Amino acid sequence: IGKRSRFFMEEKGFLANDKTFLLPVSDWFLLGLLNTETVFDYLKTLCSVLGDEVKGGRLEFRKIYMETLPIPDAPEQEKESIGNLAKETQNLHSQRRAKVEQFLVAIGSSPAASNSRNPLENPWLLEESEFEKRAKKHGTPDAALFKLVRDETASLTKEIAKLESEIDTRVASLYGAG
């Protein structure tokens, strides 16, 4: 269930609950494809929507919808290129997440107790005044640490966006929409 496609390659042996959608394959091309705007736009026409669509309802990714997703017959070289971009993108996401978790621990917070609605989870989007206000709950805010982490995560976010844009463009062209 999600507002966006957020598929990733799980390589560490973690288990998931029944609210996740699993594909038992190790296919980086497929991962890249699933996370594009082109595929998400298609899924929006197919999947059930939970909640009010106008107010940002969530798509219900279920087998009955996902198994009908047309996968373009791409040349092997293009599949490999898109797969490599997807792998690099996931690596950057992992690096950014590690920095965020280190940051949360350093300011006295707990990554395990945090969630995606916590603005401290996205330091690259925070203004310094907002950081100081929110970090006071966990101790004395360290402005220098915040600036360093904000800049590092902003740089990673910029790299992620660039790679995701390239994947979007390549996949759109495979579907004839580019």
Side-chain angles (χ1 to χ4, degrees):
I1 298 174
K3 285 197 282 188
R4 304 192 36 75
S5 293
R6 289 182 160 174
F7 292 89
F8 76 100
M9 189 73 67
E10 200 300 298
E11 299 178 300
K12 295 182 180 176
F14 291 118
L15 300 175
N17 66 18
D18 64 347
K19 298 297 182 200
T20 59
F21 187 83
L22 304 173
L23 298 172
V25 296
S26 181
D27 185 338
W28 289 99
F29 166 71
L30 183 59
L31 177 70
L33 186 118
L34 287 171
N35 284 319
T36 62
E37 289 299 320
T38 300
V39 169
F40 188 66
D41 287 344
Y42 176 79
L43 291 173
K44 287 191 283 190
T45 68
L46 199 61
C47 294
S48 293
V49 178
L50 303 174
D52 186 343
E53 282 185 65
V54 177
K55 294 181 180 178
R58 269 79 170 154
L59 295 187
E60 189 174 19
F61 300 106
R62 294 246 180 229
K63 180 181 178 187
I64 61 172
Y65 310 123
M66 299 301 291
E67 68 188 0
T68 66
L69 177 69
I71 306 299
D73 186 25
E76 280 306 312
Q77 186 175 356
E78 187 64 1
K79 284 182 177 181
E80 187 176 332
S81 293
I82 291 170
N84 288 337
L85 290 167
K87 192 172 195 173
E88 188 176 348
T89 301
Q90 181 166 307
N91 182 43
L92 292 172
H93 273 284
S94 296
Q95 287 177 41
R96 185 177 69 184
R97 182 65 201 160
K99 287 189 181 299
V100 168
E101 289 184 7
Q102 291 168 353
F103 168 67
L104 291 172
V105 169
I107 64 171
S109 183
S110 164
S114 188
N115 64 51
S116 61
R117 291 183 296 271
N118 176 0
L120 294 171
E121 289 275 344
N122 302 298
W124 61 95
L125 298 175
L126 276 180
E127 295 293 328
E128 188 173 351
S129 59
E130 183 70 10
F131 160 71
E132 290 175 357
K133 178 178 122 183
R134 297 201 176 265
K136 280 183 183 174
K137 293 184 221 174
H138 307 290
T140 305
D142 183 340
L145 172 65
F146 164 70
K147 289 176 187 175
L148 175 66
V149 171
R150 180 195 59 201
D151 294 348
E152 288 175 345
T153 57
S155 177
L156 287 167
T157 301
K158 186 176 178 181
E159 289 180 59
I160 290 167
K162 181 180 170 189
L163 292 175
E164 288 176 343
S165 177
E166 184 174 347
I167 295 169
D168 280 344
T169 299
R170 286 172 177 252
V171 168
S173 72
L174 292 176
Y175 282 105

